[in-house]
Amino acid sequence: MKNKAITTKSLISKEDGSVAWGLLPGILILRRTTMKITFPFAAAALAASLSTAANAGIVFKFTESDGNVVMNSSGTIDTSKLVLMPRVFMWGGTGVEENGNHDIMGGASVGEINMSFGFHDGTDYSPWASANGPWSASSFGTTVNSGHKAFTTYVGSPSGAQIPGLGIGREDLQGWLWSPDQNWTFRSASFASMRMAVGTYTVTDAQTGEFITFQIGAGNQLPEPDAAALVGLALVGACAARRAKTRKA
């Protein structure tokens, strides 16, 4: 069926070698202060930071299995870092669609879509463009194996074209975070019969880095921790080593 129409918390070192959280956009720094917070707390806080960094987007992964094509969804996207649309763009049925503009997908047989989010201006939509996108035919003959969160992956442009975005049910948000939970099976199907092209197709927000990926075949596009968080982890380790050396002396 066709569609219907930071400020980042950073670790700060103390005079005694312990650390605390401070506010600094996108970077981890060291600074002297008198407040004492233990390394176990810092480690837990950093783990939380890394976990947040790793939840920058969502993945819809298609694989061939026992004569079927299976779709599994994963990840978390922060909708506060997308553009809330004034209009809701609906979806009918469950499956993937090729419509001449962009390759999109959705599942609304399990619930209602009542919020739509777009990407910021400047975002590259070409990975989903019909000319070179993940599939070249629509397929709606699918079974929903599990999941209850309705979604679609498009919004309408001012010209009326369907472009990448996200439509969801408001009740499925946790704060501003949304995670897909649907899993599908296209029975007696293959990538060839569904005219799918193996590869990774990701649209990433030009301003915030939030993304949606269609993964066809093998591969893992789950987000990696960002460089600043990894640098912070190294700095905390250096602090711990320095503290241990001071105690021995």
Side-chain angles (χ1 to χ4, degrees):
M1 181 181 294
K2 296 284 185 180
N3 50 299
K4 311 171 184 177
I6 50 193
T7 299
T8 303
K9 290 185 176 181
S10 301
L11 291 174
I12 300 174
S13 79
K14 310 303 182 264
E15 289 182 333
D16 62 357
S18 57
V19 293
W21 287 110
L23 292 178
L24 188 68
I27 188 169
L28 292 158
I29 65 168
L30 296 176
R31 186 179 69 193
R32 289 189 176 276
T33 182
T34 58
M35 183 177 177
K36 180 179 180 181
I37 298 181
T38 63
F39 269 95
F41 172 84
L46 183 59
S49 173
L50 291 174
S51 175
T52 299
N55 287 334
I58 52 179
V59 179
F60 299 95
K61 184 174 181 178
F62 294 79
T63 56
E64 292 178 310
S65 176
D66 298 326
N68 305 310
V69 171
V70 176
M71 188 285 292
N72 292 293
S73 59
S74 62
T76 298
I77 194 166
D78 187 345
T79 60
S80 72
K81 296 179 181 179
L82 301 176
V83 179
L84 179 62
M85 306 297 287
R87 174 187 170 191
V88 176
F89 295 88
M90 306 301 292
W91 182 266
T94 298
V96 303
E97 178 178 305
E98 156 59 40
N99 56 45
N101 293 312
H102 294 89
D103 294 347
I104 56 179
M105 62 181 289
S109 59
V110 297
E112 178 185 8
I113 294 169
N114 51 34
M115 295 185 78
S116 291
F117 299 89
F119 291 100
H120 286 93
D121 290 344
T123 297
D124 180 12
Y125 299 145
S126 64
W128 295 4
S130 293
N132 58 350
W135 45 79
S136 58
S138 299
S139 299
F140 283 85
T142 184
T143 300
V144 179
N145 302 319
S146 62
H148 67 277
K149 299 178 183 179
F151 74 93
T152 187
T153 60
Y154 88 101
V155 294
S157 70
S159 66
Q162 294 138 346
I163 59 176
L166 180 67
I168 60 171
R170 185 187 310 271
E171 63 278 7
D172 296 324
L173 282 172
Q174 298 293 321
W176 284 98
L177 301 179
W178 184 82
S179 300
D181 68 348
Q182 288 195 49
N183 299 292
W184 307 341
T185 297
F186 296 86
R187 302 195 181 281
S188 300
S190 65
F191 291 160
S193 69
M194 294 179 64
R195 297 172 65 182
M196 289 184 161
V198 171
T200 301
Y201 305 84
T202 300
V203 171
T204 303
D205 190 279
Q207 292 188 23
T208 67
E210 300 297 299
F211 68 82
I212 304 175
T213 289
F214 299 152
Q215 178 70 45
I216 312 299
N220 183 2
Q221 277 295 298
L222 291 179
E224 298 294 337
D226 63 23
L230 293 176
V231 170
L233 182 60
L235 291 175
V236 170
C239 265
R242 184 186 65 182
R243 187 180 186 191
K245 184 176 180 180
T246 301
R247 284 182 171 178
K248 288 180 180 179

